[in-house]
Amino acid sequence: QVQLVESGGGLVQAGGSLRLSCAASGNRFTIASMDWYRQTPGKQRELVATITGAGTPNYADSVKGRFTISRDNAKNTVILQMISLKPEDTGAYYCHVQERRFGILADYWGQGTQVTVSS
């Protein structure tokens, strides 16, 4: 069973920066993709950024140029660096990873960390 521990959320003014971190432990197999999702009340959870095992990132259009996702495979850690934050970035941010077991991907989620951007 993979455990995910997130940290780094908080309250920041518009234009500010935050750094989210997620550490995975307990995996017996390779961690494939590592992602960050966010969710606001009344809306579906949306993918913000993802990074493959090889380190290729992809971003939602709304955060391109402002957010940077990176990972440390030796530490099974994924980082989301967020700059130029906007009030619409407010939400609960969830770390998500996929563990590859004999060709099958198993999904794991963190408990979420709140990001609040004030105007």
Side-chain angles (χ1 to χ4, degrees):
Q1 189 79 3
V2 176
Q3 292 84 41
L4 300 176
V5 178
E6 300 149 332
S7 61
L11 173 64
V12 65
Q13 288 188 332
S17 302
L18 282 174
R19 182 176 181 269
L20 305 184
S21 177
C22 174
S25 62
N27 59 296
R28 296 179 58 195
F29 303 95
T30 301
I31 297 293
S33 64
M34 304 182 84
D35 326 297
W36 287 97
Y37 284 74
R38 71 183 173 200
Q39 189 167 23
T40 53
K43 293 186 178 181
Q44 283 191 327
R45 196 171 291 187
E46 62 171 343
L47 179 64
V48 174
T50 182
I51 187 165
T52 67
T56 302
N58 275 291
Y59 302 94
D61 288 342
S62 59
V63 307
K64 282 181 181 176
R66 301 187 298 118
F67 290 12
T68 302
I69 190 170
S70 60
R71 65 187 285 172
D72 182 334
N73 288 335
K75 297 180 180 180
N76 278 341
T77 300
V78 60
I79 302 294
L80 187 67
Q81 180 67 50
M82 307 182 291
I83 66 171
S84 302
L85 283 161
K86 303 176 181 180
E88 51 263 43
D89 294 318
T90 294
Y93 282 69
Y94 295 89
C95 177
H96 167 260
V97 305
Q98 291 187 313
E99 183 188 34
R100 183 176 292 113
R101 307 173 180 172
F102 308 110
I104 298 174
L105 294 175
D107 295 283
Y108 295 94
W109 291 90
Q111 291 190 333
T113 184
Q114 180 68 30
V115 170
T116 302
V117 184
S118 63
S119 57

